[in-house]
Amino acid sequence: MIATMDFEELIHEARTASFEGWDFSLFRDRVTYDGALPWDYEQLARDHLSRAGSLLDQGTGGGELLASFAPPLPPRTAATEGYPPNLPVARARLEPLGVEVAEDTRSFPDTSFDLIINRHEAYDPRELRRLLAPGGTFLTQQVAGRDLEELNAALGGPPHEDAAWGLDAAVTALEGAGLEVIWRQEAGFTTTFHDIGALVLFLRAVPWQVPGFDPHPYEERLRALHADMRRGRPLRATAHRFALLAR
């Protein structure tokens, strides 16, 4: 069906499609990935979860990953989600599992958690230090500041404001807050957008990639990209990731 839709139909579909939480299965084969990360964040989280009596999942999205860890979850498990559209989705999924879901960490007492996990969410190293119990562990996978920068260039959009954000900067900040980084790694892979509707829907789902994105101001560039995609030249961009463990 996608192959027979014209530009206007694809844009309309992308602007009106329902997207909630952090479930990218909607894209199916419209966005593909070439390459894989040398670490498995989910497995790392599971490995540390088995030894934790208390857990915080920062930036839980719609709670999809955290819910997949149950049962069992640690006796005290909490999650934060600061993106307003995701918060009710996360609460509906996680509260029946006994998980406390908050907008941020301010309500949690000092030394509350043996393990804090964080995939693609901003964090404050000093707040992590406050929240971690003695001997506690912080696991994160982060999107580096140069992520998918070819996409911004293809649209003629603004560059990333935090282009300098990367593994070295993260390590320096955590060590400055009194945490010890015990493992670190960075890698990249190719993300390919096969139709213009998938690209626009992605920019809806990830609004910080091109802040304030609306298809209308970018119509000329989008039409040119659409023509390239129809000729078998999809848009390719490099995803940049890094991960670390600290205690």
Side-chain angles (χ1 to χ4, degrees):
M1 177 181 175
I2 297 298
T4 64
M5 296 171 69
D6 63 21
F7 178 82
E8 286 77 13
E9 289 172 324
L10 287 166
I11 297 298
H12 176 74
E13 182 236 14
R15 297 186 74 164
T16 58
S18 176
F19 186 92
E20 66 176 25
W22 203 240
D23 181 6
F24 282 80
S25 62
L26 178 65
F27 291 95
R28 298 184 299 277
D29 57 354
R30 300 173 66 184
V31 180
T32 58
Y33 307 96
D34 183 12
L37 296 174
W39 64 85
D40 184 334
Y41 172 83
E42 293 186 20
Q43 188 58 53
L44 286 168
R46 289 181 186 277
D47 290 345
H48 287 83
L49 192 65
S50 64
R51 302 189 293 272
S54 52
L55 166 69
L56 172 64
D57 181 20
Q58 286 188 307
T60 195
E64 298 88 353
L65 179 61
L66 184 56
S68 76
F69 294 152
L73 290 170
R76 183 179 184 204
T77 298
T80 61
E81 178 50 43
Y83 185 46
N86 285 347
L87 191 58
V89 180
R91 284 178 169 152
R93 178 175 282 117
L94 296 175
E95 287 180 347
L97 301 176
V99 178
E100 178 185 356
V101 182
E103 292 184 42
D104 55 51
T105 58
R106 289 178 294 179
S107 63
F108 300 132
D110 294 357
T111 65
S112 288
F113 301 104
D114 298 326
L115 175 64
I116 299 176
I117 61 174
N118 175 315
R119 182 162 65 175
H120 305 171
E121 176 75 358
Y123 59 85
D124 179 348
R126 292 167 298 179
E127 182 69 350
L128 294 174
R129 183 70 181 83
R130 181 184 77 82
L131 291 169
L132 282 171
T137 301
F138 174 57
L139 166 68
T140 188
Q141 176 177 296
Q142 289 284 307
V143 178
R146 294 178 53 223
D147 189 62
L148 304 178
E149 60 188 353
E150 300 94 333
L151 190 160
N152 297 60
L155 289 171
H160 292 297
E161 293 182 358
D162 57 349
W165 173 242
L167 180 58
D168 290 344
V171 170
T172 297
L174 288 167
E175 291 180 341
L179 296 171
E180 177 189 8
V181 177
I182 57 177
W183 170 80
R184 68 189 81 176
Q185 198 164 4
E186 58 187 338
F189 56 88
T190 300
T191 302
T192 302
F193 298 87
H194 295 276
D195 71 80
I196 204 66
L199 175 59
V200 170
L201 180 56
F202 177 86
L203 292 171
R204 272 187 59 205
V206 187
W208 48 87
Q209 183 70 39
V210 180
F213 175 79
D214 181 87
H216 182 68
Y218 294 96
E219 182 173 349
E220 183 177 351
R221 296 290 186 108
L222 290 170
R223 285 187 180 275
L225 289 169
H226 172 68
D228 284 343
M229 292 169 177
R230 285 292 196 240
R231 296 186 187 105
R233 297 197 295 270
L235 175 60
R236 293 184 172 88
T238 303
H240 296 272
R241 302 284 186 273
F242 67 88
L244 59 82
L245 273 169
R247 63 187 176 193

